[in-house]
């Protein structure tokens, strides 16, 4: 029988705890934080094309990415539950880009790891907040440009 819902969190410890709160129709996986980032070996930002970022898989996350992609294929819906901040929203967006199935991907947010909070979040899924994603991307791109272009001068 296929898993009805896949829940993806950042931390393996959270995954283990949350798995205890949800029934057998749920599978909880950890993505171990960021799964994609700008490449380390070059600027990774196309300054001539609206500062378009170039994302690559974070080194060491290939196995985790394959695991969550496999689990996503077997799930009816995907609930992304990284931390409720700008970075967590970006992680959710990167996961959604890697997993496809956009119509069955939702964002859930809880501010405490309790049975009540997790179950309430699962009952009320939303969508990824692209304003937070764009804010995180702008910050990351700016940090990269400043670091890459100014560091040699300093």
């Amino acid at each position: 029988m296929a898993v009805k819902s896949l829940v993806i969190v950042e931390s393996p410890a959270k995954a283990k705890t949350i798995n205890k709160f949800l029934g057998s129709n749920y599978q909880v996986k950890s993505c171990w934080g960021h799964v994609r980032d700008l490449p380390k070996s070059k600027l990774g930002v196309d300054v001539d094309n609206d500062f378009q970022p170039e994302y690559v898989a974070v080194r060491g996350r290939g196995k985790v990415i394959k695991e969550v992609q496999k689990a996503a294929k077997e799930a009816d819906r995907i609930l992304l539950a990284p931390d409720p901040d700008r970075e967590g929203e970006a992680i959710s967006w990167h996961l959604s880009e890697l997993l496809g199935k956009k119509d069955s991907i939702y964002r859930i947010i809880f501010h405490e790891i309790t049975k009540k909070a997790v179950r309430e979040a699962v009952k009320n899924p939303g969508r990824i907040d692209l304003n937070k994603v764009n804010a995180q991307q702008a910050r990351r791109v700016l940090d990269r440009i400043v670091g890459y272009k100014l560091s040699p001068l300093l």
Side-chain angles (χ1 to χ4, degrees), residues 8-98:
I8 303 174
V9 297
E10 288 182 56
S11 139
K14 279 184 193 173
K16 191 174 180 180
T17 301
I18 291 167
N19 195 50
K20 294 175 187 173
F21 299 155
L22 301 172
S24 60
N25 285 333
Y26 292 85
Q27 180 180 24
V28 184
K29 293 266 185 197
S30 168
C31 68
W32 292 79
H34 283 279
V35 291
R36 294 195 314 175
D37 196 7
L38 301 173
K40 292 204 179 289
S41 59
K42 61 181 182 175
L43 181 62
V45 178
D46 187 348
V47 294
D48 296 324
N49 186 21
D50 292 328
F51 296 91
Q52 188 66 38
E54 172 196 337
Y55 291 112
V56 296
V58 171
R59 183 173 294 166
R61 293 292 196 286
K63 183 179 175 188
V64 170
I65 291 169
K66 284 181 180 156
E67 258 183 46
V68 295
Q69 285 174 325
K70 182 177 184 263
K73 285 179 184 170
E74 298 168 4
D76 293 335
R77 75 176 180 160
I78 301 159
L79 303 172
L80 302 174
D83 294 345
D85 58 14
R86 186 170 64 199
E87 294 297 322
E89 213 66 27
I91 292 168
S92 293
W93 179 77
H94 284 291
L95 284 167
S96 75
E97 292 292 305
L98 290 170

Side-chain angles (χ1 to χ4, degrees), residues 92-111:
S92 293
W93 179 77
H94 284 291
L95 284 167
S96 75
E97 292 292 305
L98 290 170
L99 299 177
K101 297 178 81 169
K102 301 274 187 193
D103 293 339
S104 59
I105 294 178
Y106 300 91
R107 176 75 161 108
I108 61 171
I109 295 176
F110 41 86
H111 298 278

